[in-house]
Amino acid sequence: QVQLVESGGGLVQPGGSLRLSCAVHGNIANLYVIYWHRQAPGKERELVATISTGATTWYDDSVKGRFTASRSTTNSWNLQMNGVKQEDAGVYYCNLEDRSIGTYGRNYWGRGTQVTVSS
């Protein structure tokens, strides 16, 4: 069974930086995509960044130029948040979508990590 565990959330001042991590545990094939979502209070969950095992990235316009998704180890992924804004607050989730033959399309979710933006 694949499990995702997010960490790194916390309190950050506007303009500050925070690094979120997503650890992938369990048996997972080599081809997948990591999606970073956030959910602000009272709002729907939204996709903010993606990164594939091939290192292809995508960013929502709201975070482009400020957030960077990367891979730190074989099974650990980061979301570097710089120039944090008030609207970046929320619970951040990582989600893995398997893109390997035989297990294509399987999705796994972490439980989220809270980011609070306050001066």
Side-chain angles (χ1 to χ4, degrees):
Q1 182 68 17
V2 176
Q3 291 184 323
L4 274 61
V5 180
E6 302 96 335
S7 62
L11 176 65
V12 59
Q13 293 184 345
S17 297
L18 207 59
R19 176 177 291 182
L20 307 183
S21 294
C22 175
V24 180
H25 300 280
N27 241 350
I28 189 69
N30 293 329
L31 298 178
Y32 55 87
V33 179
I34 293 289
Y35 300 86
W36 287 97
H37 308 256
R38 73 178 169 212
Q39 187 164 21
K43 295 188 176 181
E44 292 188 357
R45 190 153 51 193
E46 60 178 342
L47 180 65
V48 298
T50 72
I51 181 167
S52 71
T53 49
T56 300
T57 56
W58 171 90
Y59 301 96
D60 184 76
D61 286 344
S62 65
V63 306
K64 199 172 291 182
R66 300 187 297 117
F67 288 13
T68 303
S70 65
R71 188 177 200 173
S72 61
T73 68
T74 300
N75 291 324
S76 183
W77 302 81
N78 292 333
L79 182 68
Q80 178 68 39
M81 306 167 59
N82 296 330
V84 172
K85 302 179 180 180
Q86 193 68 49
E87 53 263 40
D88 294 326
V91 180
Y92 281 72
Y93 300 89
C94 65
N95 155 222
L96 183 154
E97 182 180 63
D98 198 329
R99 295 289 182 90
S100 305
I101 295 174
T103 53
Y104 192 96
R106 292 183 183 178
N107 267 275
Y108 306 92
W109 287 81
R111 294 188 175 184
T113 186
Q114 177 74 48
V115 172
T116 302
V117 182
S118 176
S119 53

